Structures are given as structure tokens and as C-alpha cells.
Amino acid sequence: IYNFSSKVTCSLCFGRITRVVLPFLLAIHVDERPIYLVALAPRGISTSGRTTREAEYRKAVAAAEDAEKDLALRLRAWCASAKEPPLHVFCSASIRARAVAGALDVEASYTAALDPFVKEGRRDAHRDLADRLEPVIIDIEGSVAPTLVITHATPARALLAYMHNRPRVRVVDETATTEAPRTLAGADAAVIEVRATVAGGYSETVHLLPGADGS
């Protein structure tokens, strides 16, 4: 088994080969490290009728912001006690995700590719999601240190589906059958740890976050 970055030779390659396939091959390596996934819980706040229910809307927003502050404190506490704490963070560019990543003492890279997924009835929505996650996957594959990904429910489940070689069209619509996808889809404050296995594929472990006080 070799690190592909030292073995790949190419000539007369153009288009998608040079833009996606070659960088992916160069990112593949055999260094063992954990990848941690964290998904922000859906806020579930609708703006319809906001003008007539402004007080309720503001209350819901305030509650959601408090929950995200609590998540940031709990994630910080978990990182401090983890056996292999993350040394780099790939984070959604959304304000919510930035607030969580900003509470950590870890270098972070922000990208809109990890922003919330909006289907809006489009039949090609899953393809769009897969396409926009390609550069993130290349960065994750190329990481050689423990890496934390802070994103939203559907992009997190899509990344997990990639690691387990599941069809992308089933990422959003299928009923989750294992603990990790269910956790990523819901409001549980947890970290999903995935590790490459010798036989191929990834193992997954769910770590429930401690309370903000470390309990």
C-alpha cells in the first residue's frame, strides 16, 4: 500500500480528471487518523407570518442561539478531554457554524460547501450536494491529523454516506438505520468519530457531548 501522492503520474489529462480525480488520488494516504463529524441541529424556525408573530419568532431565535452557545461550550469541553483532539477544523461558512467553531482553540477553514442543504423540490438537488462536497472530501481525505467537520445535518449525512459507499440519492430520503445517521439528522449533541479500517471503509463511533460544565 502506497501514499498515492508519491506514485501518481499523469499526462494529457483535462477537465474533470485534473479538477477532481487527480487531486483526489493525490489526497489518498495511509496515515491513520480520526475524522469527527458534528451537525448543528435544525432550528425549525419558520419566517412565514413573522410580522404577525414577531415576539414568538424572536423568542424561538433566542432559544436557538442559546442552544448553539451551549453546543460550542460542550464541544470545547469534549475537545479538551479527547484522546486525539482535532488539530484542524473544516467548517460551514454559516453564521451558526462559525459561532461554534470560533469557541474552539483550533485552526479552522470555512467553506460554503458545508452550508445547509435546501432541496426545494429539485430533482437534481442530491447531485448538486454531491458536487459541492467534492472539494471538501478531497481536503478530508488529504488530512493527516485528527480533523473535525462542523456542518449541518444533511451535508454531514452525505459525508458519512460517502465513507460507507452508500448511494447519494438515498442520503436524504432513506430512513436512517444506524445510530450515527440518526444522530446527525436529529438534535442530539454528539460527535461522530469515523476511522478508516484495514479491510476498507470506515468504522463509526458516537460520542455524546458532556455538559457545558464538563459533566
Side-chain angles (χ1 to χ4, degrees):
I1 300 178
Y2 299 100
N3 289 331
F4 278 21
S5 60
S6 63
K7 295 293 179 180
V8 173
T9 302
C10 64
S11 176
L12 300 177
C13 296
F14 306 95
R16 183 177 173 80
I17 295 294
T18 57
R19 190 178 69 255
V20 178
V21 177
L22 180 59
F24 176 77
L25 292 176
L26 294 175
I28 293 177
H29 59 80
V30 296
D31 296 316
E32 200 275 337
R33 84 288 187 211
I35 299 169
Y36 305 115
L37 299 177
V38 172
L40 276 66
R43 279 189 170 184
I45 301 172
S46 174
T47 57
S48 61
R50 175 180 172 181
T51 55
T52 58
R53 298 195 301 272
E54 185 70 22
E56 291 85 350
Y57 176 83
R58 289 181 179 277
K59 184 177 180 180
V61 169
E65 290 175 347
D66 288 343
E68 285 150 19
K69 291 177 182 177
D70 178 69
L71 172 62
L73 292 174
R74 296 171 70 182
L75 184 58
R76 181 186 176 94
W78 180 85
C79 289
S81 62
K83 183 178 180 181
E84 295 181 83
L87 299 180
H88 189 79
V89 175
F90 294 107
C91 181
S92 163
S94 72
I95 295 176
R96 298 173 59 202
R98 281 176 170 272
V100 174
L104 308 178
D105 296 323
V106 185
E107 178 187 3
S109 300
Y110 299 96
T111 172
L114 293 170
D115 284 357
F117 170 74
V118 181
K119 187 175 180 181
E120 295 181 346
R122 301 186 348 259
R123 296 181 62 183
D124 60 346
H126 298 95
R127 179 181 294 276
D128 288 347
L129 176 63
D131 289 345
R132 86 181 197 193
L133 286 176
E134 282 179 349
V136 177
I137 289 172
I138 292 172
D139 287 339
I140 292 173
E141 289 284 13
S143 64
V144 294
T147 299
L148 172 64
V149 181
I150 300 176
T151 181
H152 301 265
T154 301
R157 293 174 68 193
L159 291 173
L160 193 64
Y162 158 77
M163 294 171 184
H164 291 297
N165 197 29
R166 296 171 185 156
R168 67 186 176 202
V169 295
R170 299 172 58 194
V171 170
V172 181
D173 298 329
E174 75 170 334
T175 301
T177 56
T178 63
E179 185 179 2
R182 285 199 300 268
T183 300
L184 292 173
D188 295 332
V191 174
I192 310 302
E193 176 185 346
V194 290
R195 288 179 179 267
T197 61
V198 175
Y202 290 81
S203 64
E204 61 185 40
T205 306
V206 177
H207 301 280
L208 295 179
L209 294 178
D213 58 356
S215 60

